[in-house]
Amino acid sequence: MSGDGTTIRVLLAEDQTLVRGALRALLDLEEDIEVVAEVGRGDEVLAAAREHRPDVALLDIEMPGKDGLEAARELAAELPAVRAVVLTTFGRPGFLRRAMEVGAAGFLVKDSPVAELARAIRAVVAGERVIDRDLAAAALALGATPLSGREADVLRAAADGATVADIAGRMFLSEGTVRNYLSSAIGKTGARTRVEAARVAQEKGWL
């Protein structure tokens, strides 16, 4: 049981069935933690949280529908009592910064020992913020994203294969403005092409 004798209710959001099942089985071994709901898509998180009223939502960062960061943002806006802990396979410091910006209470790599995950769940319920130490150090060393919001939006669209004309129409910008944003983003990432720039930005967690 937790400090006040109650069980901590957990919502588990993970798109890989085997990983989700393993996490549930391990967490259910903790006497004070109960997994009350599971979802496999990011766009199912908010509805499940409304129905089951968990104390903590464990959110995989990469899910279909919506990613874990967007799901955390929705929870913070609509159900702030639910503490979001983002789990990632990829230790990208840019993701950590974005997770904190959307109101996540914790950010851990997915291969953390279950005892560490259980401690993190208890800590965020107690009002603390829990962050993977190595990622925190890397995020401080990296600094904030150099991309402006518009540059990131244009680069994200380009990464999906959209043409300059497509991006211009979608974002209500001129083609010349789109080219300027792409050129600036390419320069800031140290890349040679828009595809390479998008890859670099994604690896650093800037998109």
Side-chain angles (χ1 to χ4, degrees):
M1 296 293 148
S2 61
D4 60 2
T6 60
T7 299
I8 300 171
R9 297 167 58 82
V10 172
L11 164 64
L12 184 55
E14 160 65 57
D15 64 320
Q16 297 183 46
T17 305
L18 288 176
V19 175
R20 190 169 70 242
L23 280 172
R24 175 168 195 150
L26 290 168
L27 288 174
D28 279 344
L29 293 175
E30 303 291 325
E31 292 185 359
D32 59 340
I33 295 174
E34 178 187 3
V35 177
V36 296
E38 297 179 41
V39 296
R41 297 175 56 89
D43 51 9
E44 296 173 345
V45 169
L46 188 58
R50 286 193 186 116
E51 179 180 355
H52 297 279
R53 298 291 169 171
D55 301 300
V56 176
L58 294 182
L59 308 172
D60 183 24
I61 203 165
E62 294 193 339
M63 293 183 287
K66 290 178 180 174
D67 65 23
L69 296 175
E70 184 58 31
R73 186 195 303 276
E74 289 185 341
L75 288 174
E78 297 200 31
L79 296 171
V82 180
R83 307 283 282 170
V85 175
V86 177
L87 302 177
T88 178
T89 304
F90 308 103
R92 297 173 184 167
F95 282 157
L96 169 57
R97 191 174 296 275
R98 288 168 57 199
M100 297 302 100
E101 289 171 355
V102 300
F107 191 89
L108 298 172
V109 291
K110 199 182 293 185
D111 60 0
S112 300
V114 69
E116 182 177 335
L117 182 56
R119 283 196 297 270
I121 289 171
R122 296 180 187 109
V124 298
V125 168
E128 300 175 27
R129 178 168 276 182
V130 180
I131 301 170
D132 180 272
R133 290 181 181 178
D134 292 339
L135 280 177
L140 288 172
L142 180 65
T145 173
L147 301 176
S148 70
R150 278 297 200 186
E151 288 167 351
D153 289 341
V154 168
L155 199 57
R156 193 177 293 112
D160 294 336
T163 65
V164 168
D166 290 337
I167 298 169
R170 188 186 310 171
M171 298 181 66
F172 303 103
L173 299 171
S174 71
E175 292 187 23
T177 298
V178 170
R179 289 192 183 93
N180 288 339
Y181 281 134
L182 285 172
S183 177
S184 179
I186 289 169
K188 288 179 178 179
T189 57
R192 291 170 295 179
T193 67
R194 71 179 72 170
V195 173
E196 183 182 351
R199 178 182 57 77
V200 170
Q202 287 172 337
E203 287 177 352
K204 292 183 179 295
W206 293 338
L207 295 185

